[in-house]
Amino acid sequence: MMRIWVNGGLRNADDARLSVLDHGLTVGDGIFETVRTSEGRPFALTRHLDRLTRSARGLGLPDPDHDEIRHAVAAVVEANPVPLGRLRITCTGGPSPLGSDRGTDGPSLVVALDGVDRRPDSTAVITVPWTRNERGALVGLKTTSYAENVVALARARERGASEALFPNTADRLCEGTGSNVFVVLDGRIHTPPVASGCLAGITRALTVEWTGAEETDLPMDVLAEADEVFLTSTLRDVQAVHRIDDRALTPEVGPVTAKAMRIFAERADDDLDP
Ligand SMILES: Cc1ncc(COP(=O)(O)O)c(C=O)c1O
């Protein structure tokens, strides 16, 4: 049975509990990180903890204690051996009144790990009409208020796709429900800037650093013209896109994307905490 860290210790999954009055449950007042583990080793944990702190500050939650979380991560990884894992670190507002005011009992911390399969090298995506709000209070924060992503991803699954891409309110290309997007135009790699309202993805930042991709404000309809399109995220690394709505891209993994995948795999193998 999965062993989960909850507020100071490991519990069996069926005994791992938070209050039903936890603000994470009642209003989505929480933040999280998803970290990839390979053979029990977390990838880029320092960057993930730094982003967790930025998200906490954005929501006005207390700064997460990195030493405590590293200790919890080590305990969870040891208790749940899997070849490839999705490690999830969640901090919430803790027990609170029923409305949007946060309680005073202090935050909750949950760390859990589940095994995952390696993603395919390429995938299908759809576009959705709903917008990311580049001027919203939560922009750039990785919060547990993810129900819009639930709706968009369900739409993608209905259409045989694994991701949904959002425009922002100005109809510029933004990001997916849980990934960043890159396009190849005339041999050069571009990705929307953080100002588009996307999450500052860790895989995105490493891909920009390692491939020389440019941050470019892009119209949504660049997806109809791009020579290649790929996604980045913690569990996808770099993943080619072979279909966008009704547009098929051939080959399934284009040459520029294939090179980015290779570079990412090599560099990530060389340094577990870049
Ligand atoms: C909305 C959103 N955009 C992008 C990403 C990709 O970020 P990362 O590469 O840090 O996993 C994620 C997280 O997985 C996300 O939730």
Side-chain angles (χ1 to χ4, degrees), residues 32-34 48 51 132 142 146 149 175-180 198-204 232-235:
F32 74 104
E33 285 295 322
T34 299
H48 283 286
R51 187 170 63 189
R132 281 286 195 252
K142 197 163 166 69
Y146 254 39
N149 293 322
E175 65 174 348
T177 66
S179 64
N180 292 106
C198 67
L199 187 73
I202 286 163
T203 322
R204 171 189 178 280
T232 64
S233 81
T234 288
L235 294 176

Side-chain angles (χ1 to χ4, degrees), residues 177-194:
T177 66
S179 64
N180 292 106
V181 58
F182 288 69
V183 299
V184 178
L185 302 168
D186 294 327
R188 301 190 70 95
I189 310 175
H190 302 265
T191 194
V194 169

